[in-house]
């Protein structure tokens, strides 16, 4: 008999929720992670009394009540509402694109006046296409929102994020852009959103209570041993690495962070500020205290922590973040997926194992459906 029912490789959200649900069914699980901490990319570190999102901002949002009730059964979530700001050459714009944005950009105060400008610019894009379908991200964006919004709020940010010109990126990346003709800065349309009270580490701790875990443990360093220890493997790492890159390496984008502690209670007045001009090297600045401190609570903490995010091409030794879902990489992933589908004793789950960008609620929903 094997020592465990499941060996779970990776303690991020997929692995942790899977371990929780399996343990509820009486299954014996071992969770291993190559990092020095549990939680994957939602891990937080306390700095100056503030929970710092070490791998970028994570905001939980969903319209699925079952998912929302599930995560709140582990730890209560607060009322944080994601309302990012865009900074273009020192001028601020509300996101997502809504009447506040259009007022800031054109001085229009009514939906009809805003739509007149948007329609005129969209028609200019249609004329340029001359009956053709959009062939790249730039053409698609111009068709959706027009030149002003594209030039100021999309182009520079997107090119920094992907490390490629918008004319070189596929159109499907930006098939939809929300345009709201109301004064509403709530970024998400979902019914529920928030941050775990006390930070994401409390969520992971709650999910993994009673489950054996090991950190600083690399599955690939003693692979033969790990493969013998459990009836099934739940693998949440890179699928191409699992198959020893037999078809070649998949590409990723990654993020580098510059963390700063400031001797003030409030640095930028918002959790997320995007810098959309190409000349600013970072994509955004995150001020972490705003995820969990509201109103007078902000001033009670005399210091604040910010992170500048720099998007770059992934190289071995870096943390892979975002799959590059262009035609070349999608074709390569399909080859790995065929191998994965033939596995009887391995479950592949999460953004790296499925080479797909997931929001957190999608991951939780996927695991709940599995069980």
């Amino acid at each position: 008999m094997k020592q465990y029912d499941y060996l779970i490789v990776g303690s991020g959200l997929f692995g942790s929720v899977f371990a929780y649900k399996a343990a509820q069914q009486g299954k014996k699980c071992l969770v291993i992670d190559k990092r020095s901490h549990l939680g994957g990319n939602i891990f937080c570190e306390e700095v100056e009394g503030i929970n710092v999102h070490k791998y970028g901002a994570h905001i939980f949002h969903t319209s699925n009540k079952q998912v929302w009730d599930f995560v709140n059964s582990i730890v209560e979530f607060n009322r944080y509402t994601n309302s990012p700001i865009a900074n273009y050459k020192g001028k601020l714009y509300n996101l997502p694109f809504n009447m506040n944005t259009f007022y800031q950009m054109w001085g229009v105060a009514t939906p009809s006046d805003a739509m007149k400008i948007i329609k005129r610019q969209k028609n200019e894009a249609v004329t340029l296409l001359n009956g053709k379908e959009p062939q790249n991200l730039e053409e698609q964006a111009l068709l959706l929102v027009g030149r002003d919004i594209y030039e100021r709020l999309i182009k520079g940010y997107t090119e920094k994020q992907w490390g490629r010109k918008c004319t070189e990126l596929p159109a499907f990346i930006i098939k939809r852009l929300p345009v709201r003709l109301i004064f509403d800065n709530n970024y998400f349309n979902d019914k529920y959103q928030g941050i775990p009270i006390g930070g994401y580490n409390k969520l992971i701790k709650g999910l993994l209570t009673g489950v054996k875990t090991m950190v600083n443990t690399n599955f690939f360093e003693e692979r033969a041993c790990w493969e013998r220890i459990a009836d099934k493997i739940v693998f949440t790492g890179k699928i191409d690495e699992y198959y020893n890159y037999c078809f070649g390496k998949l590409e990723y984008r990654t993020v580098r962070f510059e963390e700063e502690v400031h001797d003030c209670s409030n640095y930028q007045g918002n959790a997320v500020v995007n810098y959309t001009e190409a000349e600013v090297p970072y994509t955004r600045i995150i001020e972490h205290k705003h995820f969990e401190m509201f109103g007078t609570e902000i001033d009670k903490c005399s210091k604040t922590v910010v992170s500048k995010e720099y998007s770059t091409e992934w190289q071995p030794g870096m943390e892979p973040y975002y799959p590059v879902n262009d035609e070349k990489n999608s074709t390569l992933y399909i080859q790995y997926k065929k191998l994965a589908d033939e596995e009887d004793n391995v479950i592949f789950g999460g953004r790296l194992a499925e080479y797909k960008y997931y929001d957190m609620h999608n991951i939780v929903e996927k695991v709940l459906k599995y069980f």
Side-chain angles (χ1 to χ4, degrees):
M1 289 182 66
K2 299 290 180 75
Q3 194 173 346
Y4 297 95
D5 296 297
Y6 293 105
L7 170 70
I8 300 170
V9 182
S11 64
L13 197 57
F14 188 98
S16 295
V17 176
F18 194 101
Y20 179 87
K21 294 300 292 183
Q24 275 191 324
Q25 294 187 354
K27 304 296 184 183
K28 195 173 182 184
C29 301
L30 171 63
V31 178
I32 64 172
D33 201 297
K34 67 180 181 180
R35 300 186 201 182
S36 61
H37 60 75
L38 300 172
N41 280 9
I42 64 173
F43 170 74
C44 294
E45 179 184 25
E46 187 175 312
V47 180
E48 301 290 345
I50 298 162
N51 290 313
V52 174
H53 297 211
K54 295 299 288 186
Y55 301 93
H58 285 80
I59 300 140
F60 201 96
H61 58 97
T62 183
S63 290
N64 186 325
K65 190 174 188 302
Q66 181 191 16
V67 168
W68 185 247
D69 288 345
F70 171 76
V71 294
N72 275 270
S73 73
I74 308 299
V75 57
E76 185 181 357
F77 278 59
N78 68 20
R79 58 85 169 166
Y80 174 78
T81 300
N82 191 30
S83 303
I85 299 290
N87 183 316
Y88 178 76
K89 297 186 177 181
K91 186 169 173 114
L92 302 181
Y93 299 89
N94 288 106
L95 298 174
F97 310 135
N98 68 80
M99 284 302 301
N100 289 306
T101 322
F102 308 142
Y103 177 76
Q104 292 150 352
M105 185 163 292
W106 301 311
V108 295
T110 67
S112 61
D113 286 341
M115 278 310 300
K116 284 176 186 176
I117 298 175
I118 294 170
K119 282 182 178 179
R120 185 178 71 244
Q121 295 192 6
K122 287 169 68 172
N123 287 338
E124 290 170 1
V126 170
T127 301
L128 287 173
L129 284 173
N130 196 26
K132 296 184 301 182
E133 288 294 315
Q135 298 301 302
N136 55 56
L137 187 147
E138 179 172 290
E139 292 178 349
Q140 182 69 70
L142 290 171
L143 194 63
L144 290 171
V145 292
R147 186 163 296 278
D148 286 350
I149 294 173
Y150 169 71
E151 293 283 358
R152 295 187 209 180
L153 303 182
I154 298 173
K155 186 176 187 292
Y157 186 88
T158 303
E159 291 183 348
K160 287 188 290 186
Q161 194 174 38
W162 291 100
R164 294 157 176 81
K165 297 292 185 184
C166 286
T167 52
E168 298 169 4
L169 291 167
F172 72 79
I173 290 179
I174 201 165
K175 276 291 185 185
R176 289 184 67 255
L177 279 172
V179 173
R180 295 180 184 163
L181 296 175
I182 53 174
F183 292 88
D184 181 8
N185 300 323
N186 181 358
Y187 193 81
F188 300 122
N189 290 317
D190 287 311
K191 187 174 181 179
Y192 312 104
Q193 66 179 300
I195 306 287
I197 295 174
Y200 279 99
N201 292 2
K202 285 200 169 185
L203 175 63
I204 295 298
K205 183 179 179 181
L207 290 168
L208 294 178
T209 297
V211 176
K212 185 174 181 180
T213 62
M214 297 173 64
V215 295
N216 298 310
T217 304
N218 191 329
F219 171 79
F220 294 103
E221 289 179 357
E222 296 183 66
R223 179 169 182 163
C225 172
W226 294 120
E227 288 179 329
R228 293 194 298 266
I229 206 169
D231 291 328
K232 286 193 174 186
I233 295 172
V234 178
F235 186 77
T236 70
K238 292 160 55 198
I239 190 171
D240 54 346
E241 185 177 17
Y242 185 87
Y243 289 110
N244 200 28
Y245 308 107
C246 62
F247 299 124
K249 291 186 177 181
L250 292 164
E251 294 177 310
Y252 300 86
R253 295 291 291 173
T254 189
V255 184
R256 177 175 64 85
F257 303 94
E258 285 184 1
E259 189 176 299
E260 301 171 353
V261 178
H262 290 270
D263 287 318
C264 64
S265 61
N266 195 348
Y267 179 80
Q268 63 184 16
N270 205 51
V272 182
V273 177
N274 294 351
Y275 285 78
T276 60
E277 61 189 282
E279 292 75 18
V280 176
Y282 42 85
T283 55
R284 61 183 185 174
I285 297 180
I286 306 300
E287 187 170 8
H288 299 271
K289 73 189 311 181
H290 294 297
F291 292 126
E292 297 184 65
M293 297 182 189
F294 311 103
T296 57
E297 293 176 336
I298 295 169
D299 295 326
K300 290 178 182 177
C301 181
S302 61
K303 294 193 176 185
T304 192
V305 184
V306 303
S307 298
K308 294 178 180 176
E309 297 188 7
Y310 297 80
S311 182
T312 184
E313 205 74 16
W314 177 84
Q315 298 292 336
M318 297 178 175
E319 287 296 337
Y321 277 76
Y322 306 110
V324 180
N325 294 124
D326 58 14
E327 186 175 350
K328 181 184 77 170
N329 284 285
S330 297
T331 301
L332 182 57
Y333 168 67
I334 288 170
Q335 293 180 273
Y336 286 116
K337 178 72 164 57
K338 287 178 181 176
L339 293 181
D341 289 341
E342 294 171 2
E343 300 277 2
D344 291 327
N345 298 318
V346 185
I347 298 164
F348 293 87
R351 62 189 171 86
L352 302 182
E354 299 178 65
Y355 201 65
K356 178 180 179 180
Y357 179 78
Y358 277 110
D359 284 324
M360 289 183 286
H361 67 285
N362 298 133
I363 290 288
V364 175
E365 185 174 20
K366 190 178 181 74
V367 178
L368 295 183
K369 283 182 178 178
Y370 180 86
F371 281 91

